[in-house]
Amino acid sequence: MEDSRGRVTKDGIRIYQDVDFAGMREAGRVAAEILDMVGPLVAPGVTTGSLDDFIREEIERRGVVSATIGYKGYQHASCISVNHVVCHGIPGSKVPGRSNDVLLAGDIINIDVTVIVDGWFGDTSRMYVAGTPKPFALRLINATHEGLMRGIAAVKPGNTFGDIGHAIQAYVEAQRLSVVRDFCGHGLGRVFHAPPNVLHYGRPGSGPKLEEGMIFTIEPMVNLGRPETKVLADDWTAITRDKSLSAQFEHSVGVTATGCEIFTLSPAGKFHPTWG
Ligand code: MF3
Ligand code: CO
Ligand code: CO
């Protein structure tokens, strides 16, 4: 299948061109810069609603567009997932198990931002800590970050999507942690969620072959306890069934001739909460 924007594989995965990578580079940079800016705001006593207000205002100030406001009825510029929230935590709503959205000392949170810049989607998330993390929380964060980076290291033409999932799963499970199965990464580009589903677990050699020009996210969610999740009555917030702590990191990447380009690297070098 060929059109003016290039080819789509038999698995429905679009193959992008150099000029498209330039668009993704810009969108990814903007998303990463915004995440760099929120870091210093995360502290005990701060509300998740105020963090989302900052992100929305920063998106407006830059004259770019939030991909999440209005997406399937979602009304916020970020997802903010505290402690045992796996993903899609709603900023400004009660932290599950609490009476408000105030962060407490030792909370670990994921902030996930997706912006649209000149039609291109930049999707990234990171972990932050309010105050000082407990050792087991830092261990979870470190392992989740390392799992993402091992998945990214498997991205090169000739490898498969199963190789990415396997690299993540093998590392995470060797740390006696679990990979969430109920949510996955996704193709993106000029759309938010496109084929394929990028699983964070799998068998080597399984799944579609990676080809130069593919663009997608890798966004593993890792739990201290069991992998099962459930979605709360708000229809968004996903939590661990066993209420164990969960962490996630997300990059948007594009496959190059020899490996991949990460579009959402932190310009300030602050992707991990213990950096910068
Ligand atoms: N950014 C999330 C992802 O990584 C999607 C959030 S959709 C929302 O795919 F509506 F919950 F914001
Ligand atoms: Co994503
Ligand atoms: Co995201």
Side-chain angles (χ1 to χ4, degrees), residues 38 71 85 102 105 119 130-131 159 176 190 194 199 202 212 226 261 265 269 276:
V38 285
Y71 177 76
V85 178
V102 178
N159 276 2
R176 312 185 120 271
R190 271 187 279 238
L199 307 182
E212 182 177 2
R226 293 194 50 82
E261 176 173 353
L265 288 173

Side-chain angles (χ1 to χ4, degrees), residues 93-139:
S93 60
K94 291 174 184 171
V95 173
R98 296 188 191 159
S99 58
N100 58 38
D101 68 330
V102 178
L103 296 176
L104 302 179
D107 283 349
I108 66 166
I109 73 175
N110 174 278
I111 305 184
D112 190 337
V113 170
T114 310
V115 293
I116 311 172
V117 180
D118 292 335
W120 296 97
F121 286 67
D123 185 6
T124 182
S125 82
R126 306 177 192 166
M127 297 305 294
Y128 301 84
V129 183
T132 311
K134 298 277 193 291
F136 60 86
L138 189 56
R139 188 178 147 262

Side-chain angles (χ1 to χ4, degrees), residues 68 79 88 110-114 122-126 186 188 192-193 217-219 248-252:
T68 55
C79 297
H88 302 162
N110 174 278
I111 305 184
D112 190 337
V113 170
T114 310
D123 185 6
T124 182
S125 82
R126 306 177 192 166
H186 49 93
L188 88 167
F192 198 171
H193 293 107
T217 73
I218 307 177
E219 47 183 300
Q248 179 179 28
F249 286 88
E250 174 175 27
H251 271 315
S252 298

Side-chain angles (χ1 to χ4, degrees), residues 237-253:
T237 311
I239 66 168
T240 54
R241 278 194 180 267
D242 64 5
K243 307 279 170 65
S244 69
L245 218 50
S246 187
Q248 179 179 28
F249 286 88
E250 174 175 27
H251 271 315
S252 298
V253 305

Side-chain angles (χ1 to χ4, degrees), residues 30-46:
V30 170
E33 280 179 3
I34 293 169
L35 288 187
D36 282 351
M37 294 177 78
V38 285
L41 305 178
V42 176
V46 169

Side-chain angles (χ1 to χ4, degrees), residues 17-60:
Q17 310 302 317
D18 283 352
V19 49
D20 307 325
F21 273 49
M24 286 299 298
R25 204 168 289 139
E26 188 66 12
R29 185 181 56 78
V30 170
E33 280 179 3
I34 293 169
L35 288 187
D36 282 351
M37 294 177 78
V38 285
L41 305 178
V42 176
V46 169
T47 64
T48 61
S50 72
L51 296 173
D52 187 69
D53 288 342
F54 173 85
I55 291 165
R56 187 175 11 81
E57 285 160 19
E58 187 57 28
I59 287 171
E60 282 165 15

